[in-house]
């Protein structure tokens, strides 16, 4: 969802809900398509800050307002995606926590998969649209491991997961590399 300031900071800053701070929370229920309207709704209130959890939400919040500060709970490679100028000098109005996942991390995870399934040659990739996945760097890591990646159609909603798995089965995938995203995380038991 999209919302405002964390509860732990309320006490430290002297905030009292209902007296000098209020929270407006919007949840997309895993729907990437719903994010722009929810972010626009928050921006129209207006709120003082938007706290968002992933790249799709950062993008929606950025489009909804050019002035409201944005705090990322976990942005993926925000410099590469243009959310910040650089890690040393972020600039702008977006701040928060980040995780840069690239060839090194993805290569290590693919390497562990290869250790578990040494005869695997085709690996399906399950990813949610817009999560900041660097396909080229992961392909490079896979080539070094003599793996061929099959990129399933990107997931936008829960209903897309089953067709993605069917596409991977038809492509002969022997394993699945899950990049993730909020929708995929919400459906992790099913995945």
């Amino acid at each position: 969802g999209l919302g405002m300031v964390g509860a732990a900071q309320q006490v430290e800053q002297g905030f009292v809900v209902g007296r000098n701070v209020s929270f407006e929370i919007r949840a997309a229920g895993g729907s990437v398509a719903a994010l722009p309207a929810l972010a626009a709704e928050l921006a129209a209130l207006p709120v003082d800050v938007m706290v968002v959890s992933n790249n799709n939400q950062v993008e929606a919040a950025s489009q909804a307002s050019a002035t409201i500060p944005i705090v990322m709970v976990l942005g993926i490679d925000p410099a590469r995606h243009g959310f910040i100028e650089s890690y040393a000098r972020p600039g702008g109005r977006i701040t928060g926590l980040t995780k840069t996942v690239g060839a090194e991390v993805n290569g290590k995870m693919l390497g562990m998969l290869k250790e578990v399934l040494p005869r695997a040659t085709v690996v399906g990739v399950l990813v949610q649209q817009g999560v900041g996945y660097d396909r080229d760097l992961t392909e490079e890591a896979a080539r070094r491991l003599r793996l061929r990646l099959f990129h399933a159609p990107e997931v936008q909603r829960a209903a897309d997961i089953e067709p993605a798995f069917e596409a991977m089965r038809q492509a002969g995938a022997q394993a699945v590399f899950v990049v993730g995203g909020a929708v995929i995380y919400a459906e992790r038991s099913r995945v």
Side-chain angles (χ1 to χ4, degrees):
L2 299 168
M4 292 182 50
V5 212
Q9 290 186 331
Q10 292 179 54
V11 177
E12 291 176 21
Q13 301 299 322
F15 294 130
V16 177
V17 176
R19 185 180 322 150
N20 58 2
V21 69
S22 65
F23 296 89
E24 292 292 335
I25 299 170
R26 302 296 185 272
S31 170
V32 175
L35 292 174
L38 294 173
E41 188 179 320
L42 286 173
L45 290 176
V47 295
D48 295 311
V49 62
M50 286 194 217
V51 177
V52 299
S53 66
N54 63 39
N55 284 23
N56 289 323
Q57 293 176 12
V58 173
E59 184 66 35
S62 295
Q63 297 296 320
S65 168
T67 57
I68 298 173
I70 298 167
V71 177
M72 304 176 292
V73 173
L74 186 62
I76 305 290
D77 203 354
R80 185 170 63 87
H81 290 285
F83 300 145
I84 62 172
E85 290 175 31
S86 72
Y87 293 106
R89 298 194 184 284
R93 62 194 170 90
I94 300 174
T95 190
L97 301 176
T98 182
K99 178 179 179 187
T100 302
V101 179
E104 189 174 321
V105 173
N106 286 345
K108 182 66 175 172
M109 293 188 327
L110 286 169
M112 290 188 304
L113 189 148
K114 186 72 174 178
E115 284 179 31
V116 173
L117 297 169
R119 295 177 193 216
T121 56
V122 180
V123 175
V125 179
L126 183 66
V127 62
Q128 182 177 314
Q129 184 179 37
V131 296
Y133 165 63
D134 193 322
R135 185 174 171 157
D136 293 338
L137 292 176
T138 305
E139 284 279 358
E140 180 183 314
R143 276 191 299 278
R144 286 194 307 272
L145 294 164
R146 293 184 178 91
L147 291 171
R148 184 173 62 82
L149 299 182
F150 172 79
H151 299 272
E154 291 186 343
V155 171
Q156 293 181 29
R157 58 191 189 285
D160 297 337
I161 293 172
E162 204 53 53
F165 269 91
E166 183 55 34
M168 288 185 282
R169 274 191 285 278
Q170 288 181 12
Q174 298 145 313
V176 177
F177 179 66
V178 180
V179 176
V183 172
I184 293 171
Y185 182 77
E187 296 291 324
R188 64 193 176 278
S189 296
R190 201 165 128 227
V191 169

